[in-house]
Amino acid sequence: MVLLALPMVLSSYLVTVFVLIFFYAYLGQAWNIVGGYAGQLSAGHAAFVGVGAYTAAVLSLSAGLTPWIGMFVGGALSAMLGAVIGYLGFRFGLRGFYFVLLTVAVAEMCRIVTNNVEALGGAVGLYITFTGNPRHFQFQDTRAYYYVALGLMIAATVVAAAIERRRFGVYLSAIREDEGAAEAVGVPTLKYKMLAMIVSSFLTGVGGTFYAFYLFSLQPNTVFGIPLSVEIIIRPIVGGAGTLFGPIVGSFILSPLAELARFYFAASGNWAGVHLIVYGLLLVAVVLFFPQGAVPWFRRILARAH
Amino acid sequence: MQRRTFLKSTVAGAAVAGFPLPLRAQPKTIKIAAIHCATGPLAEPGQACRLAAQIAADHVNAAGGIKSMGGAKLDLLIGDTQTKADVARAEAERLINAGAQMLMGTFNSGDTAAIVPVAQQRRVPFLVDISAADPITANVARAVKEGQQKVQYVYRNFPTGTLFGQRAVQYFTEIFKEAGVSPKRVVLMHCNDLFGTNQSKGFQAAHKAANPSWEIVEVIPWPEPPSDLSTEVSRAKAAKPDIIAPITRPASALLLLPELRKQRVESMGIVGPGSPGLYEAGQLTVLKDDLEHVMTSIPWPNFKHPRAQKLAEEYLRRSGGKMLDTNSGYSYDGIHVIADVLERAKSTEPDALVDALKKTSYKDTLMVSSGPVMFNEIGDNPNASPAMVQILKQKPVAVWPKEHALAKFVFPRPKA
Amino acid sequence: MAEGARTGQVRVPAPQGLILDPVLVAQALVSGLLFGGVYSLMAIGLTLIFGVMRVVNFAHGDLMVWAMYLAWLGATRFGVDPYAGFVIAAALLFVAGFVIQRQLVDRIVDAPHEMQILLMLGIALVLENGALVAFGPEPQRVRTPLTQAAVWLGPVFIDVGRLVTFVVAVALTLALSLFLYRSDAGRQMRAVADNGYGARVIGADVRRISALAFAVGAACVGAAGALVAPLLPFQPSTGLQLSVTSFNIVIIGGMGSLLGAFVGGLLVSVAESLGAVFLNPSMKELVSFSLLVVILLVRPAGLFGGRTV
């Protein structure tokens, strides 16, 4: 409830920071469904962001279709791509690192193709005109974006919670813990892994639309790039993959950290880049001292306190 | 000493003249945000822009600050986009929050586009010092025209991709004519990233429109940054070029030029429509002779301007050996244009600033141009212009158009 | 030869009549094969670390970039030719690899997979930006007399610099194979790679061997970086690209297989080179990624990987 009232008191800059926290938490939660709960590590989720973003942008620019509808078209296309990747990967028995590489390869291929197709803007990319018109999924006031991003994050968490509670979630954790055993017991592993992938990629695709209409410029190298995939998976992993609040906690830890690091070091002439070193060192520290992620660590602390 | 007495006399003079003091106290400093990509793959030009902006702010302050506002000094707030659009946006918000009244940046068109909505939302004028993608300003102009936005806050003092292409084609044709040769086959090779593709499209479009006597017989793009260009160069060679027209980034230039020589690609010359990588000091150190006689059409400081040489020396000193060039030059100019705008606006109210921006006619630009800095109805400076620069005796020198040339061009390339 | 040229028309990049040009294709094959040596070198260190420790070294590319910078320092400050100085780079990275493994990677051996990836990513970030702070952002390249040299066989030219690197790649692959199959340390490493638990049972000091494997792998990366520095322009941000390419090669060739790394490198390079002839050169990486996807689906163990997935 505090979150709802915050935009009233905070400066526009802090509102922007929160928008980014919520947005990346949303993407992280979407990833969490297949990467955390199902345990299928995907390092190419940027592909879905890109597909969603480009779809909505192209539909808006060429057909004037409002992004409110465009986002679902984008989500659907992302889901289809997710289904293809899932089928290819799971049907052929790719696990662990091999699945990771498959997802990276697909994301890179999307990037290269988009870079070379004129109709999608090629390497120049797409530029969306800022009108501030809600019908175009744009807002004159940054605070509106805050609520949209918050809404997205809550929606994804609700979906994840629903999955966690149901048989779906139970099957997924069985698959994550020991896929062979799960199969032996009769869990339809392929079906549920595919479902997780489809849900995850759909949500991520919808997020892509937000990305496009928040940042107003799409370039293949940014939107399909590995750095974006890394940003997506870092938060749930740091926060606790496979936990409900992991992506959210992770985002609340990492985004402010990045902002602070940049705030202190960005202006320092030749030492530009120090803030990213700090970010990297922090990641290493988190991994060394909280390898299960922040949420399980909190839980253990709380459990011990009782 | 001189500065202090100058200031004192100004204030005294103002008091004596009974200069009407406004009800609100004049700001002692005016905060201007300079946001560039100081880290990430475009760190080098980003850092050059940043340093030039700082030097410019120092110069403005040393010359008395904004006199119409009581000698208010420019306080430069520095931002780093990390070459990422979401970071660019956050930086713009952060610095506006810290009190920036105007923004300048960012070098990378993708990040610049991300800041545009912030400028429009927060009503903070944004002067784009370097970014070539046409839609950055065109989109805003169109939104204002269609009534979606009330005021345009984004202005650009840099040639657009379209302008680059037009001038390049023009210079190609003029130089060929002046040299008395008529090459027919131009092979265009470009890096397939945002900048390279933009330039390539602009160049090809301008060529189609101008329809000169030379043809672009082949277009060869490569993924940037490349690890290997041998096949691309083989393809260029097979197309029997009279002219090789490269659009490169520093990394690809380091591969392309030696490869061209190794594969013995014969041509009348290597003439680029405009790109980095072909003139910087660092590039010259590594490529040495491979860059000799290479030409490229780029925005360039006008070294005939009395202040340009001094600025180049100061920049060399403060940057640890780097040369004043396109990027640093335009960022330096950008701050001065901002100072000029502030001077005429006499206030930091957004509407006053926009008004002053629209009426800009800044003649003291240090860059090669075809007129004073001014902004047309799209918000671009139609007088921003590149010049053809050639590497002669390991130094980049402007060789065309004649009024900006410091030396005669060497074309066709002498046989090795 | 110039059938593809048409006058009075704006060209858009597209495949054209040059397909029929045999010289161009031959040249592409030769160039691709030679450059494959470079790719192979890059991949050898990665496959070793991979094979023995199952560690996904996302910092691979950044380690290599540091080796390149070391070679550059050696060449510009101390006048050491990289073709001689690579030994020093290898030694330095050997130490670095040992330290990284012992102090960092070892601690999270039992942690979930994702943590390992995060750790190497963190290290990659530190390395990349450390290079930025230390060396600045400009791309560098090391010039040696060899890099200028070319030998002509009729209409086809052979890049001497790459030829040398190719030969070294062969030599290094052979040397490493000897080490792995003939020496005690090598045998122990393979034992650990095959069956970590079993190796422990028979008394192998798994921790020390793992550290050694990482160190040797890093040394290979060091050698590769120094040897490749004269051929590639590099800047701090080149690391990511090198990592991705190396992963491609290692998967295609077969994780843990030296021969796989070597052949994989050649294959990927030739595929890209031919791709640059028949397609838009800016899409040539699509060829290697497509190859990767095919391998992943058809034979995930890679061409020469004999182990189970």
Side-chain angles (χ1 to χ4, degrees):
Chain A
M1 296 314 109
V2 178
L3 288 177
L4 283 174
L6 272 178
M8 303 308 157
V9 266
L10 289 179
S11 69
S12 186
Y13 163 57
L14 287 176
V15 170
T16 303
V17 174
F18 270 97
V19 170
L20 290 176
I21 292 180
F22 296 151
F23 176 63
Y24 281 110
Y26 168 78
L27 288 181
Q29 190 70 276
W31 177 88
N32 198 18
I33 293 174
V34 73
Y37 285 107
Q40 308 300 315
L41 211 61
S42 154
H45 257 56
F48 307 126
V49 175
V51 168
Y54 267 88
T55 307
V58 167
L59 286 175
S60 170
L61 285 172
S62 57
L65 183 67
T66 166
W68 291 103
I69 300 181
M71 72 169 84
F72 290 103
V73 180
L77 281 178
S78 300
M80 284 202 283
L81 181 63
V84 168
I85 299 176
Y87 186 73
L88 284 179
F90 304 140
R91 184 74 184 75
F92 288 84
L94 290 178
R95 310 269 166 82
F97 176 66
Y98 292 95
F99 185 68
V100 173
L101 245 260
L102 177 67
T103 55
V104 170
V106 171
E108 283 289 288
M109 286 167 82
C110 288
R111 181 182 68 83
I112 296 172
V113 168
T114 314
N115 241 337
N116 286 286
V117 173
E118 268 301 306
L120 295 174
V124 179
L126 296 176
Y127 292 88
I128 298 182
T129 312
F130 178 69
T131 59
N133 186 342
R135 216 176 297 150
H136 301 152
F137 196 37
Q138 304 171 25
F139 309 99
Q140 194 68 29
D141 191 335
T142 312
R143 288 188 288 231
Y145 283 108
Y146 176 98
Y147 288 113
V148 172
L150 179 59
L152 281 175
M153 183 179 86
I154 293 178
T157 310
V158 164
V159 170
I163 292 179
E164 201 185 34
R165 231 151 277 225
R166 297 205 146 76
R167 204 170 38 163
F168 191 178
V170 174
Y171 282 163
L172 286 183
S173 45
I175 293 172
R176 182 183 70 225
E177 294 306 316
D178 189 339
E179 186 161 345
E183 253 187 53
V185 175
V187 173
T189 51
L190 179 62
K191 171 171 163 204
Y192 280 96
K193 285 203 286 190
M194 287 283 290
L195 263 177
M197 191 67 174
I198 292 175
V199 172
S200 176
S201 45
F202 175 80
L203 288 174
T204 312
V206 170
T209 306
F210 180 84
Y211 188 95
F213 288 87
Y214 181 60
L215 295 176
F216 293 90
S217 79
L218 294 178
Q219 274 85 41
N221 287 351
T222 334
V223 147
F224 286 104
I226 291 175
L228 180 61
S229 288
V230 168
E231 287 286 338
I232 294 176
I233 69 177
I234 267 188
R235 285 160 176 76
I237 292 181
V238 166
T243 68
L244 191 62
F245 290 101
I248 299 179
V249 169
S251 200
F252 268 95
I253 295 177
L254 286 175
S255 289
L257 229 45
E259 287 298 312
L260 275 175
R262 204 176 66 241
F263 181 70
Y264 276 115
F265 295 105
S268 32
N270 268 335
W271 290 80
V274 169
H275 57 278
L276 289 170
I277 297 182
V278 172
Y279 197 57
L281 286 173
L282 281 162
L283 278 184
V284 173
V286 165
V287 169
L288 289 180
F289 300 118
F290 311 97
Q292 298 289 337
V295 168
W297 180 75
F298 280 135
R299 280 208 199 117
R300 273 206 307 273
I301 302 287
L302 288 175
R304 246 183 265 159
H306 281 199
Chain B
M1 298 307 121
Q2 216 178 358
R3 196 190 336 161
R4 233 183 279 155
T5 42
F6 174 73
L7 277 177
K8 259 200 273 184
S9 58
T10 310
V11 172
V16 164
F19 192 81
L21 291 173
L23 287 169
R24 215 168 24 144
Q26 288 285 22
K28 295 264 177 40
T29 63
I30 303 174
K31 295 188 164 71
I32 308 288
I35 310 176
H36 297 99
C37 43
T39 51
L42 295 174
E44 191 199 354
Q47 287 181 19
C49 293
R50 186 189 266 196
L51 177 61
Q54 278 166 329
I55 296 181
D58 292 343
H59 286 184
V60 168
N61 291 344
I66 308 299
K67 303 175 194 58
S68 72
M69 293 208 256
K73 298 270 193 275
L74 290 185
D75 181 11
L76 211 61
L77 303 178
I78 309 271
D80 175 14
T81 69
Q82 296 181 2
T83 325
K84 289 192 195 152
D86 52 350
V87 175
R89 197 202 156 103
E91 284 289 83
E93 294 266 15
R94 176 171 75 86
L95 295 179
I96 293 178
N97 214 49
Q101 309 278 25
M102 285 183 77
L103 307 173
M104 188 176 85
T106 68
F107 181 81
N108 184 24
S109 290
D111 306 338
T112 308
I115 297 185
V116 164
V118 179
Q120 293 292 120
Q121 281 170 327
R122 304 293 300 279
R123 301 177 64 222
V124 176
F126 176 27
L127 179 68
V128 177
D129 55 358
I130 302 181
S131 279
D134 295 53
I136 291 175
T137 39
N139 278 358
V140 182
R142 193 176 63 230
V144 169
K145 202 157 133 195
E146 290 171 359
Q148 308 265 16
Q149 290 281 293
K150 287 205 218 69
V151 179
Q152 175 159 355
Y153 289 98
V154 182
Y155 296 86
R156 176 205 336 243
N157 179 28
F158 192 72
T160 58
T162 315
L163 198 100
F164 263 110
Q166 286 166 346
R167 287 276 179 272
V169 171
Q170 180 192 336
Y171 292 162
F172 269 51
T173 312
E174 287 172 358
I175 289 181
F176 297 162
K177 188 152 157 241
E178 179 86 2
V181 291
S182 32
K184 288 268 175 289
R185 305 171 63 84
V186 172
V187 170
L188 176 63
M189 306 181 72
H190 71 92
C191 51
N192 199 47
D193 64 357
L194 198 166
F195 173 74
T197 313
N198 203 27
Q199 287 292 79
S200 166
K201 285 209 290 206
F203 185 61
Q204 290 182 67
H207 174 266
K208 192 155 173 213
N211 202 17
S213 65
W214 46 273
E215 291 306 319
I216 302 177
V217 296
E218 175 119 7
V219 180
I220 304 177
W222 64 76
E224 183 74 23
S227 4
D228 170 33
L229 287 176
S230 44
T231 311
E232 285 84 343
V233 170
S234 301
R235 262 179 89 151
K237 186 172 178 184
K240 291 198 171 320
D242 292 325
I243 303 273
I244 299 272
I247 302 177
T248 61
R249 287 272 194 200
S252 41
L254 289 178
L255 262 184
L256 182 67
L257 291 163
E259 195 69 32
L260 283 170
R261 193 170 39 77
K262 257 193 288 189
Q263 294 202 30
R264 298 203 205 135
V265 181
E266 301 288 341
S267 66
M268 278 193 214
I270 301 177
V271 188
S275 71
L278 302 173
Y279 57 87
E280 296 90 334
Q283 301 290 101
L284 280 162
T285 316
V286 181
L287 288 173
K288 300 203 194 30
D289 280 336
D290 286 332
L291 271 179
E292 195 67 20
H293 300 131
V294 169
M295 285 198 259
T296 179
S297 166
I298 44 170
W300 194 245
N302 177 15
F303 284 106
K304 284 185 177 169
H305 190 292
R307 286 207 335 257
Q309 204 43 48
K310 278 194 63 199
L311 175 64
E313 281 160 25
E314 181 172 353
Y315 186 79
L316 188 77
R317 209 176 9 98
R318 280 173 75 161
S319 66
K322 301 221 174 76
M323 207 175 57
L324 181 75
D325 62 13
T326 312
N327 306 321
S328 31
Y330 263 103
S331 292
Y332 182 86
D333 248 17
I335 293 288
H336 277 80
V337 170
I338 287 180
D340 175 69
V341 167
L342 285 165
E343 194 72 56
R344 283 176 294 112
K346 298 196 183 63
S347 112
T348 52
E349 286 295 323
D351 292 321
L353 289 172
V354 170
D355 204 53
L357 265 168
K358 289 200 180 141
K359 299 202 181 90
T360 303
S361 179
Y362 178 72
K363 295 183 185 58
D364 206 16
T365 166
L366 250 61
M367 307 300 289
V368 165
S369 56
S370 42
V373 174
M374 51 168 280
F375 301 108
N376 62 16
E377 65 284 355
I378 303 185
D380 295 326
N381 176 7
N383 288 331
S385 179
M388 192 61 91
V389 169
Q390 184 169 33
I391 307 295
L392 295 171
K393 297 213 183 45
Q394 298 294 288
K395 285 216 174 347
V397 179
V399 295
W400 197 265
K402 279 212 180 117
E403 59 267 26
H404 297 293
L406 285 176
K408 176 99 168 75
F409 62 76
V410 174
F411 181 82
R413 189 163 64 151
K415 294 281 178 223
Chain C
M1 213 165 1
E3 300 105 42
R6 268 163 268 164
T7 49
Q9 189 174 336
V10 173
R11 300 306 309 279
V12 167
Q16 50 212 299
L18 287 167
I19 296 175
L20 303 173
D21 184 349
V23 175
L24 185 56
V25 175
Q27 179 69 70
L29 271 173
V30 170
S31 299
L33 217 54
L34 285 180
F35 199 70
V38 174
Y39 274 177
S40 304
L41 261 186
M42 280 178 12
I44 285 174
L46 184 64
T47 207
L48 190 63
I49 293 179
F50 225 1
V52 174
M53 304 186 53
R54 297 288 191 272
V55 169
V56 179
N57 185 8
F58 274 103
H60 171 79
D62 291 291
L63 277 173
M64 194 164 149
V65 169
W66 264 92
M68 290 163 116
Y69 271 111
L70 287 173
W72 172 77
L73 268 179
T76 49
R77 294 277 169 83
F78 305 109
V80 176
D81 190 302
Y83 289 105
F86 75 91
V87 181
I88 305 176
L92 283 171
L93 257 77
F94 181 91
V95 173
F98 198 89
V99 168
I100 291 179
Q101 205 285 338
R102 251 314 226 263
Q103 298 304 323
L104 298 174
V105 180
D106 213 39
R107 297 216 191 156
I108 53 154
V109 150
D110 297 317
H113 233 6
E114 306 93 56
M115 280 302 160
Q116 202 196 81
I117 295 181
L118 252 200
L119 176 68
M120 300 316 295
L121 275 176
I123 296 178
L125 257 182
V126 172
L127 285 175
E128 176 179 332
N129 288 282
L132 181 64
V133 169
F135 303 111
E138 309 87 44
Q140 300 290 354
R141 196 178 164 181
V142 180
R143 299 298 286 274
T144 68
L146 265 177
T147 55
Q148 324 287 63
V151 165
W152 288 84
L153 291 180
V156 170
F157 97 107
I158 295 183
D159 187 320
V160 175
R162 290 191 196 160
L163 184 60
V164 170
T165 316
F166 184 89
V167 169
V168 174
V170 173
L172 200 58
T173 313
L174 285 173
L176 263 182
S177 304
L178 275 174
F179 171 70
L180 281 181
Y181 284 87
R182 292 296 168 83
S183 78
D184 274 337
R187 262 193 280 262
Q188 286 183 326
M189 268 191 222
R190 286 190 304 125
V192 169
D194 269 336
N195 188 341
Y197 186 66
R200 222 170 296 194
V201 164
I202 61 163
D205 182 350
V206 177
R207 284 188 70 217
R208 197 179 71 87
I209 293 174
S210 301
L212 200 60
F214 204 98
V216 171
C220 290
V221 173
L227 288 166
V228 165
L231 299 175
L232 282 173
F234 52 92
Q235 45 193 149
S237 49
T238 311
L240 179 60
Q241 185 200 1
L242 292 177
S243 289
V244 174
T245 312
S246 304
F247 281 128
N248 249 10
I249 297 169
V250 163
I251 293 287
I252 291 175
M255 176 174 102
S257 161
L258 287 180
L259 186 59
F262 184 71
V263 173
L266 294 185
L267 197 58
V268 168
S269 178
V270 169
E272 283 187 0
S273 208
L274 289 176
V277 170
F278 295 112
L279 299 173
N280 205 329
S282 54
M283 292 192 29
K284 63 183 177 186
E285 291 162 338
L286 203 60
V287 177
S288 40
F289 279 113
S290 309
L291 206 57
L292 174 72
V293 172
V294 166
I295 290 277
L296 278 178
L297 300 180
V298 169
R299 193 187 150 85
L303 292 173
F304 293 93
R307 310 209 170 82
T308 47
V309 170

